[in-house]
């Protein structure tokens, strides 16, 4: 048994400072849980002159390459593709186990890292890469390893959930809610990665890979952000018993030609108010899973922030450190199922289509005829007066239809003389 | 690498038949995930003549001892203390890894089993023993291994949650709701283990052991069932913005003499309607955890039933089988913290006390004086008329008070001339 394990930390931002703090404050507990002390031997940073509260300046170094070469466990919380990618590969080459929170890197180039770790016989753990503090990577790749996952629906971006929650509860418009999120530190000065769904797409790719034992990269993820949503959309959703959430969705599906495969997508969706995901408020995250034997599961908690993310990182550090003490390794990449990623157009969901139409007899018949022609079945129609007396509002809820069929339908409806505007087209999920 | 692993199944009831089915139906997937095929070599039962749908009769045997002696992995889903205890110890002695769903056995004599497994260098996994399909054992003992758990609040008994949900939604009284649960197969013919909280207490002991790295047996758990609850209690709870849930609670606490310790208890409690646990409906389970770095987490899903429980069992089977293929072992018992279990009287919670009092001036002043004498601070008081014009109803919500102080207070209040009855005393949790 080693008399101690050397931990190298790459990055000392919001998460890194909390990892350093917890490694120090909980040193005795961690030593008892691992079976040997964990010693933080250095922290690689870009700029030594930045003040970092509670971090011993003697630990800081700008020579990340030298640091990883001498460590037993390397913790990467820098973010971005390079230098993390090169440093992780170097750490693995030197025989270190790696813990990373880097969703972007894993979603872009995970298989390279998994293969390197496997070849070197070391662990690569990444619980913190998806949904922050929420244990979701370990449950999906270990607890559900004896089950068949059908679908994953996740609220995995706290920024957009906060924004949508504020729009729903106080009627803010998108810009106001984003500004408020920025003021509170939930959103970056440039909120693109969050509001356009890039962050959620990376997490969707990772979850899909684990759930379906298939390689899924961020390029396989169909992505749509929340920027086209209006306060009016959110209010209408509430009026029909729904809330709008930005969902990361990964599901087993069948293509047009009968091919069994999977689909992975990120988009805003109407979620019924009595669905467990509908109650996920503020910046919280949650992942809802449907598995054949387990049925419905949900995992809920803080998806971001220094201390919550550090909790997930430290859990991984204890796991990989135990393996170094007691022998053995954690699960490796499982991609044996190798399911095809089906095209976006094959996705089948229910839709809510909102129209502004001429307020005259026969309009509904014309619209319904177009839906019928395209094989899209109507579940419900609701007509309400608009402020302008010559205009009526029409809300159509469809049964499950393919994205392709729906797109054709909407185009044809928009071309009708009696239709003034297609106000919104939103998917309904979790019903 | 072994060319296959022999799985022995002990018990073929509701859970066992599902384990057998999934081992067969998912054989190819399981082989890919483990790295070698899993072969179900036999199922020990008491009575060979019982018809078991979908189970190959050639697998059945009444000689459980011989079966475990020849297996690589033994799955115990018989329930009860003996013979499971003796069979698990025999399996360990023969070098088999063990997966069990037996909460009663673990809560009564877990340390004996953990020590035997540790000495033999084999795994003992038990995800299915707490909250059925919900991954909770693995997250608590692995994902949160780098954090400090403050409190666990669990709805871990689906029968009582169903009963309380029916009382809340349709105003049923307890007996009606229990009869309905029995008719639906959620409750046993003798519902004692559920409604008196014994089942939840076993799970509370297991969760507390894991969360606090301390041995906790079912004898350490303060226990109170739901049998004294009335439809009126449930309606009053709703009127004050709460739902009543049977909670398994494990928390760090400080005793009267300043001793740091833990408390583990099962009792009905008022949960605020906006708390994530309040939304757990029907027979579902959920475990809510407060940890220092992670913050609030919740795990939700089906807590019982054949297929959901089998999902958790199979996840464990894959984990222990991987260890046999790739080397290594899962986590062993962690009881290094060895925290004292504090006496029940030291628990501090908020309370709601309902009284029937004489409808005359000065009553509230007398009651408030008694509370003040006992050092119990009042958060709110609500007075409402009763059907009898000489009687008023008084609802007192206290700030956090010790159980000892509250008990003395209630006794003194009951002794006041103006107090006709102490209708109920309920704890408030999760606020």
């Amino acid at each position: 048994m080693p008399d101690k394990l050397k931990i190298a930390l790459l990055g000392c931002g919001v998460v890194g400072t909390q990892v350093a703090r917890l490694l120090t404050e909980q040193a005795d507990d961690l030593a008892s849980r691992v079976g040997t002390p964990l010693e933080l031997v250095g922290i690689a940073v870009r700029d030594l002159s930045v003040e970092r509260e509670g971090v011993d300046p003697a630990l800081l170094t700008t020579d990340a390459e030298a640091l990883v070469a001498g460590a037993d466990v390397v913790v990467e919380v820098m973010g971005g593709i390079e230098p993390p990618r090169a440093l992780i590969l170097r750490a693995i080459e030197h025989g270190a186990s790696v813990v990373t929170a880097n969703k972007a890197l894993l979603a872009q180039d995970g298989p390279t890292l998994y293969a390197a770790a496997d070849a070197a016989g070391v662990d690569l753990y990444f619980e913190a890469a998806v949904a922050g503090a929420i244990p979701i990577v370990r449950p999906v790749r270990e607890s559900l390893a004896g089950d068949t996952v059908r679908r994953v629906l996740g609220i995995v971006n706290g920024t957009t959930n906060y924004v949508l929650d504020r729009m729903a509860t106080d009627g803010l418009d998108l810009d106001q809610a984003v500004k408020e999120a920025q003021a509170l530190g939930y959103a970056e000065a440039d909120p693109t990665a969050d509001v356009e769904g890039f962050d959620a797409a990376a997490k969707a790719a990772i979850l899909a890979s684990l759930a379906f034992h298939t390689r899924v990269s961020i390029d396989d993820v169909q992505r749509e952000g929340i920027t086209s949503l209006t306060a009016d959309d959110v209010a209408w959703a509430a009026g029909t018993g729904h809330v709008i959430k930005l969902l990361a969705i990964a599901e087993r599906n069948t293509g047009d030609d009968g091919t069994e495969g999977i689909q992975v997508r990120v988009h805003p969706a109407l979620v019924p108010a009595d669905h467990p995901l509908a109650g996920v408020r503020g910046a919280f995250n949650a992942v809802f899973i449907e598995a054949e034997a387990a049925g419905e599961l949900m995992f809920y908690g803080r998806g971001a922030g220094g201390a919550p993310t550090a909790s997930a990182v430290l859990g991984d550090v204890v796991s990989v450190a135990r393996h170094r003490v007691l022998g053995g390794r954690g699960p490796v990449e499982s991609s044996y199922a190798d399911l095809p990623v089906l095209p976006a157009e094959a996705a089948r969901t229910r839709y809510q289509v909102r129209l502004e139409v001429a307020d005259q007899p026969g309009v509904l018949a014309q619209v319904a005829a177009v839906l019928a022609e395209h094989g899209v079945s109507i579940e419900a129609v609701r007509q309400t007066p608009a402020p302008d007396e010559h205009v009526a509002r029409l809300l159509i809820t469809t049964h499950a239809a393919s994205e392709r069929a729906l797109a054709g339908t909407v185009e044809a409806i928009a071309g009708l003389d009696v239709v003034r505007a297609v106000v919104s087209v939103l998917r309904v999920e979790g019903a």
Side-chain angles (χ1 to χ4, degrees), chain A:
Chain A
M1 190 179 293
D3 65 349
K4 68 178 178 188
L5 290 173
K6 292 182 212 159
I7 315 292
L9 182 57
L10 307 180
C12 200
V14 175
V15 177
T17 50
Q18 291 299 313
V19 171
R21 177 179 72 81
L22 291 169
L23 278 170
T24 310
E25 286 181 10
Q26 302 188 138
D28 291 348
D29 279 311
L30 294 171
S32 296
R33 295 174 193 180
V34 170
T36 202
L38 305 181
E39 187 192 0
L40 179 58
V41 293
I43 307 174
V45 295
R46 256 176 303 199
D47 181 355
L48 292 172
S49 68
V50 176
E51 179 74 27
R52 294 172 174 91
E53 203 188 318
V55 174
D56 178 0
L59 289 172
L60 302 178
T61 172
T62 54
D63 190 351
E65 296 234 349
L67 182 63
V68 304
D72 297 302
V73 177
V74 172
V75 176
E76 188 272 307
V77 289
M78 307 172 90
I81 305 300
E82 293 290 359
R85 186 178 173 283
L87 290 169
I88 288 173
L89 289 171
R90 187 174 162 86
I92 290 169
E93 195 179 294
H94 281 274
S97 300
V98 174
V99 174
T100 176
N102 197 325
K103 57 198 161 271
L105 176 56
L106 292 169
Q108 183 179 308
D109 201 21
T112 302
L113 304 182
Y114 305 141
D118 194 20
V122 298
D123 280 326
L124 174 65
Y125 270 55
F126 50 91
E127 182 63 77
V130 184
I134 307 173
I136 186 66
V137 170
R138 195 177 270 102
V140 173
R141 74 172 177 170
E142 302 186 46
S143 306
L144 289 169
D147 205 334
T148 302
V149 175
R150 286 265 135 222
R151 176 184 290 173
V152 180
L153 295 178
I155 296 171
V156 293
N157 181 272
T159 306
T160 47
N161 201 59
Y162 179 84
V163 166
L164 294 172
D165 191 25
R166 293 294 292 135
M167 291 172 75
T169 49
D170 282 300
L172 300 193
D173 69 25
L174 185 82
D175 284 348
Q176 289 173 312
V178 169
K179 284 205 181 77
E180 191 180 289
Q182 286 169 323
L184 289 166
Y186 290 148
E188 308 279 338
D190 175 0
T192 308
D194 294 321
V195 298
E196 294 294 357
F198 290 101
D199 173 80
K203 293 162 178 170
I206 296 170
L207 284 174
S209 303
L210 299 174
F212 302 125
H213 302 270
T214 290
R215 287 184 175 176
V216 180
S217 96
I218 191 165
D219 300 328
D220 296 316
V221 183
Q222 176 192 358
R223 181 191 49 75
E224 184 187 319
I226 64 167
T227 48
S228 66
L229 293 174
T230 64
D232 192 41
D233 291 329
V234 173
W236 266 83
T240 63
H242 295 87
V243 290
I244 300 183
K245 297 290 188 189
L246 180 69
L247 295 183
I249 301 169
E251 61 187 1
R252 286 179 195 269
N253 217 328
T254 308
D256 290 351
D257 59 354
T259 318
E260 292 279 337
I262 59 173
Q263 273 189 319
V264 193
R265 53 189 203 269
V266 169
H267 56 65
L270 296 160
V271 176
D274 61 355
H275 191 280
L277 286 173
V280 177
R281 307 288 307 277
F284 274 84
N285 281 16
V287 180
F288 187 83
I289 296 180
E290 298 167 26
E292 268 180 26
E296 300 179 346
L297 298 169
M298 191 172 80
F299 304 79
Y300 165 95
R302 293 192 184 277
T309 308
S311 171
V313 167
L314 266 285
D316 280 354
V317 168
V318 169
S319 286
V320 305
R322 277 175 178 162
H323 292 150
R324 295 187 86 90
V325 172
L326 300 168
R329 278 164 63 200
V332 297
E333 185 190 20
S334 176
S335 59
Y336 74 90
D338 199 19
L339 296 167
V341 177
L342 301 172
E345 306 82 62
R348 287 181 64 83
T349 49
R350 292 166 62 228
Y351 287 86
Q352 268 197 9
V353 181
R354 282 169 59 207
L355 306 175
E356 283 193 359
V357 297
D359 193 7
Q360 64 187 57
V363 172
L364 180 54
Q366 286 187 53
V367 171
V370 171
L371 285 152
E373 272 165 40
H374 287 79
V376 175
S377 167
I378 296 175
E379 183 188 302
V381 175
R382 187 193 295 192
Q383 188 162 345
T384 50
D388 174 346
E389 61 179 304
H390 302 296
V391 177
R393 285 174 172 159
L394 211 56
L395 176 77
I396 302 165
T397 309
T398 74
H399 286 294
S402 77
E403 184 150 323
R404 185 182 294 118
L406 202 279
T409 310
V410 170
E411 202 183 320
I413 288 174
L416 292 174
D417 283 346
V418 294
V419 172
R420 305 290 172 87
V422 178
V423 180
S424 74
V425 180
L426 283 167
R427 299 174 187 83
V428 184
E429 296 280 355

